[in-house]
């Protein structure tokens, strides 16, 4: 009973020593010295100018929406084809 507990503690201890990727190297230069953004009330944010989508962004979103609609239509189709459904309805004939 003591061996599994010791093994679990050992695994947890060793996994705590893993190396994490260097995240500081991925930061854009100047981010560390940049000031924190101002906190604004939600009303001020909602009154701001609405976001504008570029034609490329609209085309991408429209294409994705069309693909999702097509996928949803395929998911509405029957899972079991009519031939298999008829065979299943007949069942197994007793001997």
């Amino acid at each position: 009973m003591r061996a599994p507990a010791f093994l679990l503690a050992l695994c947890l201890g060793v996994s705590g020593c893993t190396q994490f990727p260097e995240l500081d190297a991925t930061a854009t230069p100047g981010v560390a010295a940049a000031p924190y953004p101002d906190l604004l009330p939600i009303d001020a944010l909602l009154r701001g100018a609405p976001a504008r989508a570029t034609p490329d962004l609209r085309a991408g979103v429209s294409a994705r929406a069309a693909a999702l609609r097509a996928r949803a239509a395929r998911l509405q189709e029957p899972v079991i084809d009519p031939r298999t459904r008829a065979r299943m309805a007949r069942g197994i004939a007793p001997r």
Side-chain angles (χ1 to χ4, degrees), residues 64-78:
R64 179 154 168 73
L68 288 172
R69 283 188 194 98
R71 182 177 178 202
R74 286 192 308 272
L75 289 172
Q76 296 298 319
E77 295 174 0

Side-chain angles (χ1 to χ4, degrees), residues 9-95:
L10 180 66
C11 289
L12 290 174
V14 170
S15 67
C17 298
T18 187
Q19 292 290 326
F20 287 98
E22 188 62 40
L23 297 178
D24 292 333
T26 62
T28 308
V31 169
Y36 283 101
D38 293 331
L39 295 177
L40 300 172
I42 190 71
D43 295 332
L45 295 173
L46 293 175
R47 281 192 310 258
R52 296 195 177 152
T54 63
D56 291 337
L57 180 63
R58 286 180 193 228
V61 170
S62 296
R64 179 154 168 73
L68 288 172
R69 283 188 194 98
R71 182 177 178 202
R74 286 192 308 272
L75 289 172
Q76 296 298 319
E77 295 174 0
V79 176
I80 303 171
D81 62 279
R83 187 173 142 208
T84 304
R85 185 173 295 281
R87 193 181 82 223
M88 290 169 57
R90 286 192 307 267
I92 299 173
R95 290 185 179 211

